[in-house]
Amino acid sequence: MEAIAAASDAGLAPVKVNMVVRRGVNGQSVLPMAAHFRHSGHVLRFIEYMDVGTTNGWRLEEVVPAAEIISLIGGQWPLEPVAPAYHGEVASRYRYFDGAGEIGVIASVTQPFCRGCTRARLSADGQLYTCLFAGAGHDLRGPLRAGSSDQALREQISAIWARRADRYSEQRTHQTSRMQQVTPKVEMSRIGG
């Protein structure tokens, strides 16, 4: 924790602290967490409970929507929206009116951002995933071990990204409401979020 504080004091980018909010589990901790990180120099980011993978027993009714989180915190300490820091930023940013810092909310369940997503993930076994909710990856280990050049790998990754049609978060609510079986997805522990 001392290293984190030193990085913040040195003028480096603020440290982001993430909290997945799940109704019935830790929803009551939103205000205490916000209070703890106000005036700390750290950006607390609240993440809607997501159905990453297939083993977490996810249910839509356990999601605390971003709007509810913002309303709860804003009712205690008024907030104002902040523009994204870069293209593809996944967190909606808010700052406290009183200057006590900033929070972020990642609303991939209630406000999907698939079309603007700029993130790919690489697993330890060399699979490139174009979506946090993907069921399968694209092999990069094989070409690496076969001696592919950096340029060939760039072209392969560019081609994979250009073909991506991932829209899971946009399709999730429709699938969930129709009680359809959701296709298997990679576990977050495998791709590091």
Side-chain angles (χ1 to χ4, degrees), residues 86-167:
Y86 56 89
H87 173 72
E89 184 172 24
V90 297
S92 295
R93 300 169 56 207
Y94 298 85
R95 71 175 146 236
Y96 295 105
F97 279 174
D98 65 4
E102 179 180 309
I103 63 167
V105 181
I106 299 174
S108 72
V109 176
T110 62
Q111 300 167 27
F113 42 81
C114 299
R115 294 184 199 287
C117 182
T118 60
R119 296 177 179 215
R121 291 154 178 90
L122 185 63
S123 66
D125 64 351
Q127 295 293 308
L128 178 71
Y129 290 87
T130 59
C131 179
L132 183 60
F133 303 99
H138 303 270
D139 181 41
L140 294 182
R141 181 175 59 182
L144 275 168
R145 287 190 173 168
S148 286
S149 68
D150 289 350
Q151 182 60 34
L153 288 169
R154 272 198 253 355
E155 289 170 7
Q156 181 180 1
I157 292 168
S158 292
I160 290 168
W161 192 259
R163 290 191 315 265
R164 78 180 278 269
D166 304 309
R167 298 286 180 268

Side-chain angles (χ1 to χ4, degrees), residues 57-80:
W58 184 86
R59 295 181 350 200
L60 184 60
E61 57 271 10
E62 293 177 339
V63 173
V64 179
E68 187 176 323
I69 294 168
I70 294 305
S71 177
L72 182 63
I73 296 169
Q76 183 73 30
W77 304 285
L79 297 166
E80 63 182 339

Side-chain angles (χ1 to χ4, degrees), residues 17-69:
V17 179
N18 295 331
M19 175 184 176
V20 175
V21 183
R22 183 175 177 186
R23 193 176 308 284
V25 176
N26 65 348
Q28 74 284 356
S29 298
V30 169
L31 283 178
M33 287 290 285
H36 178 79
F37 285 98
R38 282 173 46 81
H39 300 287
S40 73
H42 303 310
V43 176
L44 178 58
R45 297 193 317 175
F46 297 94
I47 303 172
E48 291 179 341
Y49 176 51
M50 298 180 285
D51 53 332
V52 178
T54 55
T55 61
N56 69 354
W58 184 86
R59 295 181 350 200
L60 184 60
E61 57 271 10
E62 293 177 339
V63 173
V64 179
E68 187 176 323
I69 294 168

